[in-house]
Amino acid sequence: MRLISKSTIQEVNNRLNAISIVEDYVRLEKKSGRWWGRCPFHGGGQEKTPSFKVDPDLKMYHCFGCGKGGSIIGFIMEMDKLTYPEAIRTLAKKIGIEIVYEDGGAGEDEFDNTKKEELFELYRRTTVTFQHFLKEKPEGQNAYKYLIDRSISEQMIERFKLGFSPSDRNFLYHFLKQKGYSEDFLDKSGLFSARYKASPMFSGRLMFPITDRQSRVAAFGGRALPGVLQSDGKEPPKYINSPETDIYKKGQTLYALDLALPEIRQTKTVYIAEGYMDVIALHQAGVTNAVAPLGTAFTDEQASLLHRWAERVIIVFDTDEAGQKAAYKAILTCRKNGIISSIAQLQEGLKRETGSETAEFKDPAEILQKFSPQILKKIMDCTINDFEYLIFRGKSQFKSAGSAKNRAVEFLFPYLDALNSEIERGDCTAIIADAFGVERDAVQKDYSRWKKGTRQEIFEKQINVSSGPFTGRGPVRMNAELFLLTVVSVNMKLYPDFRAALEIKEIDDPDAKELFIALEECFVHDESDIDSLLSRITNEPLKNFIASRGSSAEFSGGPGREPRRLMEDGITEIRKKRLRKRLTEISAEMRISERYSDDDSEYINELLAEKKYIDSQMRELDSLMRRPEEG
């Protein structure tokens, strides 16, 4: 791969405006000569007191809350999850700098990039033409009326660049030829039929431009208008989407992502709807972090893309059977890619907000049309987490006895398989057993048999994950567990007391677990020096972490904070964490029991008793953390 020249990088650094660049992501205010904002990293942009500072002279940023900081190029890399060359190219284009490479060339793929720019310009012009037909031409009046009848506002029509493709199948080709486009270029543009070169992909349809993250139109979706038939008297396909081109890959693109990104960055949450009209309805209701897949199921590529900015996905699919099946697949896709998901309960929310038991509307677009943006926005707060939803689905789809119960439990096995944590998988297995009234061991054995029976399918799914080959656990990240194990590693004389107080099963972090195992091996072989410990660590990033950070005073204590006290407080904090997790599980189990069981008062009383006991343990641990310093 050709390297961007140092002179280009230097020019980008010299000419970039730090405030202008950062304000694309964070609202900044100037106070006492400095620029401040709410941190987009640790506070989700919701801090009460801004702790995020940008220095326009040094072209650096720093957050006093979470400690993140660095250059503006690093900020772009972090926010958009770009490589260094990608960030340089992005900034260069924004500033208007031509990229020059080390060998003196004007571009790595100059021909391809020029072709793509020409395609984007073609789609921009076509979008403007379709907008003109929708709003200014008589034949676009029916499409415009359809939007108004669906309660779509003028603001949304403009925001989403909606249009109408003329019914005259000869118009677009001749119009673009007059603008100077060659036949060969138009043939490969994706706007015309592969078999009949001058015949447009879209005619007489309501048009939805599909944009990339830079808000450039890259494709179209076209909806047939109600009551309009084909020349053969048959109903046309409801939706037609552009074919893939050099600038459009539907499995890697999400409708309205460019419009949704600011809110996704702020909230770390994204709503996924089924189609164009649903997304527009949600945006009109103020749910501006809504997107949609494009004519396909929600893909691994799309989930991986969203995971750059979002930690949680709320699935807003139709309430019909097809929509629920799609939701099931979307849940698995989210979990496989490490994203927490919930399901919007449209019917439950509608009943709650309207008081009507008979209101039956299957998607956000219908709810907007029949009620109001305010009602739709409130309904979006009515959600259920993915696991509870699937338990409900399993219970409703299958009877609760005999082989049907087995099928209901098996219905949840793909979800277990999609989880990335063995601990979480074990917790969910226990909840499944309790929810269906079966033994936990039986669920585990059936799951193991199911997994063996689908091993080839699982393998195929794994090798098709878009995130690429597995390259290790990634960078070592500090957390309470790793801090504790590092304290013990630096002060190995503490390990005998540590191992007597804590078991390895109580540790979740994989790096901390590896340290625990290495310490145990040193203990068994009567070794107490740091070199022996490092030699037993196989993970190079972890080894480097211990070697570089282990000498820091933060792990050897300070005045009134001796290593033993650090260890004891760390053990207490981990125990509190596990107790808090169990309290969360108890709350979930109580909700499940109340929702699905006819007579569960005895079981709920048992849970309440356990909760009371855990609360007392938490108070005891809190008192230990607050005790006066000794010595």
Side-chain angles (χ1 to χ4, degrees):
M1 179 177 290
R2 297 165 67 190
L3 299 176
I4 298 174
S5 69
K6 292 180 181 179
S7 61
T8 298
I9 295 172
Q10 187 63 48
E11 188 177 3
V12 168
N13 272 309
N14 291 340
R15 289 178 53 185
L16 69 82
N17 183 316
I19 303 304
S20 175
I21 296 297
V22 175
E23 279 194 317
D24 282 346
Y25 306 87
V26 180
R27 182 185 176 191
L28 298 175
E29 294 183 7
K30 193 174 185 179
K31 295 181 180 179
S32 302
R34 297 180 177 182
W35 292 87
W36 295 89
R38 292 172 173 79
C39 181
F41 301 115
H42 81 278
Q46 303 302 312
E47 293 178 308
K48 292 183 179 179
T49 303
S51 62
F52 179 85
K53 184 188 77 169
V54 178
D55 189 320
D57 297 323
L58 296 177
K59 299 181 181 180
M60 303 281 286
Y61 76 95
H62 178 73
C63 176
F64 292 92
C66 66
K68 275 187 176 291
S71 69
I72 299 303
I73 294 174
F75 176 81
I76 293 293
M77 291 170 64
E78 180 73 21
M79 290 301 294
D80 285 339
K81 299 299 183 288
L82 302 175
T83 64
Y84 186 79
E86 288 173 338
I88 293 294
R89 282 193 285 266
T90 299
L91 288 170
K93 183 171 183 180
K94 185 183 289 284
I95 299 168
I97 295 173
E98 182 181 33
I99 295 288
V100 177
Y101 292 82
E102 287 290 359
D103 61 3
E108 185 175 16
D109 299 301
E110 184 178 5
F111 177 78
D112 288 342
N113 288 335
T114 300
K115 180 181 176 183
K116 288 179 180 179
E117 290 301 324
E118 289 175 350
L119 272 175
F120 280 125
E121 175 60 18
L122 170 66
Y123 275 84
R124 185 196 67 79
R125 284 189 171 185
T126 306
T127 299
V128 171
T129 301
F130 289 160
Q131 288 179 295
H132 178 73
F133 269 84
L134 177 71
K135 300 189 70 175
E136 305 296 336
K137 293 289 187 179
E139 67 171 300
Q141 288 183 357
N142 285 340
Y144 187 81
K145 182 177 182 301
Y146 171 80
L147 290 170
I148 300 304
D149 289 345
R150 296 295 301 269
S151 298
I152 301 300
S153 69
E154 184 68 36
Q155 182 185 8
M156 290 299 110
I157 293 173
E158 289 295 326
R159 179 176 173 82
F160 286 87
K161 304 175 184 176
L162 303 185
F164 177 77
S165 55
S167 301
D168 181 357
R169 301 188 68 85
N170 297 313
F171 169 82
L172 187 61
Y173 193 81
H174 293 295
F175 171 76
L176 293 174
K177 283 286 296 293
Q178 290 173 359
K179 295 294 182 182
Y181 289 103
S182 68
E183 292 184 8
D184 182 62
F185 184 74
L186 293 177
D187 289 347
K188 298 174 182 177
S189 68
L191 289 174
F192 300 94
S193 167
R195 294 180 61 189
Y196 306 102
K197 293 185 177 182
S199 181
M201 285 285 298
F202 308 98
S203 64
R205 288 177 175 267
L206 176 62
M207 299 302 293
F208 300 87
I210 298 166
T211 51
D212 67 4
R213 278 169 46 207
Q214 286 74 48
S215 297
R216 298 175 298 186
V217 178
F220 291 105
R223 190 197 193 284
L225 294 175
V228 178
L229 302 179
Q230 298 179 143
S231 57
D232 58 6
K234 296 180 180 178
E235 287 191 0
K238 188 174 181 180
Y239 281 99
I240 293 177
N241 296 309
S242 289
E244 294 194 347
T245 64
D246 290 340
I247 60 173
Y248 174 57
K249 299 292 184 286
K250 64 181 179 181
Q252 301 170 13
T253 308
L254 288 152
Y255 181 62
L257 179 59
D258 59 318
L259 300 176
L261 259 180
E263 186 69 9
I264 294 173
R265 285 191 178 108
Q266 292 291 321
T267 63
K268 310 298 184 188
T269 300
V270 58
Y271 289 79
I272 299 181
E274 277 200 76
Y276 309 116
M277 292 294 287
D278 292 330
V279 169
I280 295 171
L282 289 169
H283 278 248
Q284 185 166 326
V287 184
T288 57
N289 48 338
V291 300
L294 292 158
T296 61
F298 184 49
T299 67
D300 287 317
E301 290 92 340
Q302 291 164 341
S304 179
L305 179 65
L306 286 177
H307 200 19
R308 296 180 180 184
W309 312 284
E311 297 171 357
R312 182 187 180 211
V313 163
I314 299 175
I315 299 166
V316 193
F317 285 1
D318 291 1
T319 57
D320 58 18
E321 186 62 26
Q324 297 308 294
K325 287 181 178 179
Y328 181 72
K329 293 178 181 177
I331 288 170
L332 301 184
T333 300
C334 286
R335 284 294 184 172
K336 184 168 60 173
N337 287 278
I339 307 176
I340 297 170
S341 65
S342 301
I343 307 296
Q345 294 187 291
L346 299 183
Q347 296 303 144
E348 291 296 322
L350 193 58
K351 291 174 183 176
R352 184 187 68 187
E353 295 300 328
T354 65
S356 171
E357 293 292 327
T358 59
E360 292 288 338
F361 298 99
K362 69 175 185 176
D363 57 39
E366 285 192 0
I367 294 170
L368 175 72
Q369 182 183 12
K370 299 298 182 182
F371 293 94
S372 68
Q374 293 76 22
I375 291 290
L376 177 56
K377 185 171 186 179
K378 288 181 179 179
I379 288 172
M380 288 301 103
D381 293 331
C382 187
T383 64
I384 181 173
N385 74 58
D386 54 8
F387 189 45
E388 287 189 44
Y389 165 80
L390 291 180
I391 288 178
F392 173 80
R393 286 273 293 165
K395 283 181 172 286
S396 64
Q397 281 189 284
F398 307 99
K399 295 180 180 180
S400 60
S403 60
K405 182 183 289 190
N406 295 342
R407 293 173 62 200
V409 172
E410 188 174 296
F411 173 76
L412 294 158
F413 286 165
Y415 179 85
L416 294 181
D417 191 52
L419 298 175
N420 294 322
S421 166
E422 286 294 336
I423 293 174
E424 191 173 11
R425 188 175 291 117
D427 291 343
C428 288
T429 299
I431 295 174
I432 290 170
D434 293 341
F436 288 92
V438 296
E439 294 293 328
R440 298 184 184 187
D441 285 348
V443 175
Q444 182 59 54
K445 288 177 181 177
D446 280 0
Y447 170 68
S448 296
R449 283 193 289 269
W450 174 87
K451 189 173 177 67
K452 289 178 181 177
T454 58
R455 181 173 294 166
Q456 182 60 33
E457 177 187 344
I458 293 167
F459 173 74
E460 290 173 355
K461 286 192 295 182
Q462 288 173 338
I463 64 174
N464 285 323
V465 172
S466 64
S467 55
F470 179 74
T471 57
R473 287 201 296 261
V476 177
R477 300 187 185 279
M478 181 58 72
N479 55 56
E481 293 180 348
L482 186 55
F483 181 89
L484 171 61
L485 265 298
T486 305
V487 168
V488 178
S489 298
V490 173
N491 305 276
M492 292 179 66
K493 63 183 180 181
L494 297 176
Y495 182 70
D497 292 339
F498 174 82
R499 72 190 293 269
L502 207 65
E503 296 180 40
I504 193 168
K505 67 181 181 181
E506 296 177 83
I507 301 295
D508 293 335
D509 180 76
D511 291 317
K513 279 188 174 182
E514 183 165 346
L515 262 184
F516 203 136
I517 293 169
L519 284 164
E520 180 66 15
E521 290 176 349
C522 288
F523 178 78
V524 170
H525 291 88
D526 198 25
E527 298 167 347
S528 58
D529 60 286
I530 191 67
D531 289 334
S532 297
L533 177 68
L534 293 175
S535 69
R536 296 184 179 278
I537 300 174
T538 58
N539 181 5
E540 284 298 323
L542 177 60
K543 183 184 295 186
N544 294 335
F545 176 88
I546 297 299
S548 62
R549 298 288 297 276
S551 59
S552 171
E554 65 180 320
F555 298 111
S556 55
R561 295 286 291 169
E562 297 302 322
R564 179 172 293 278
R565 180 62 185 276
L566 290 174
M567 180 187 74
E568 291 171 350
D569 284 350
I571 291 171
T572 300
E573 188 56 45
I574 286 175
R575 286 175 174 166
K576 287 173 62 179
K577 177 183 175 183
R578 294 190 68 81
L579 290 175
R580 286 193 293 266
K581 182 177 180 180
R582 180 56 189 155
L583 286 174
T584 301
E585 293 170 353
I586 289 172
S587 298
E589 291 176 34
M590 290 178 66
R591 288 197 303 271
I592 291 170
S593 296
E594 292 167 352
R595 188 185 294 271
Y596 304 123
S597 302
D598 296 326
D599 184 12
D600 54 6
S601 57
E602 183 177 350
Y603 181 54
I604 289 179
N605 287 336
E606 291 176 2
L607 292 174
L608 288 171
E610 184 181 359
K611 181 180 183 300
K612 185 176 179 180
Y613 174 69
I614 291 176
D615 286 338
S616 68
Q617 287 186 304
M618 290 286 288
R619 287 193 293 271
E620 289 181 15
L621 292 174
D622 283 337
S623 67
L624 289 175
M625 294 289 287
R626 290 194 297 267
R627 73 182 188 272
E629 298 287 344
E630 300 173 357

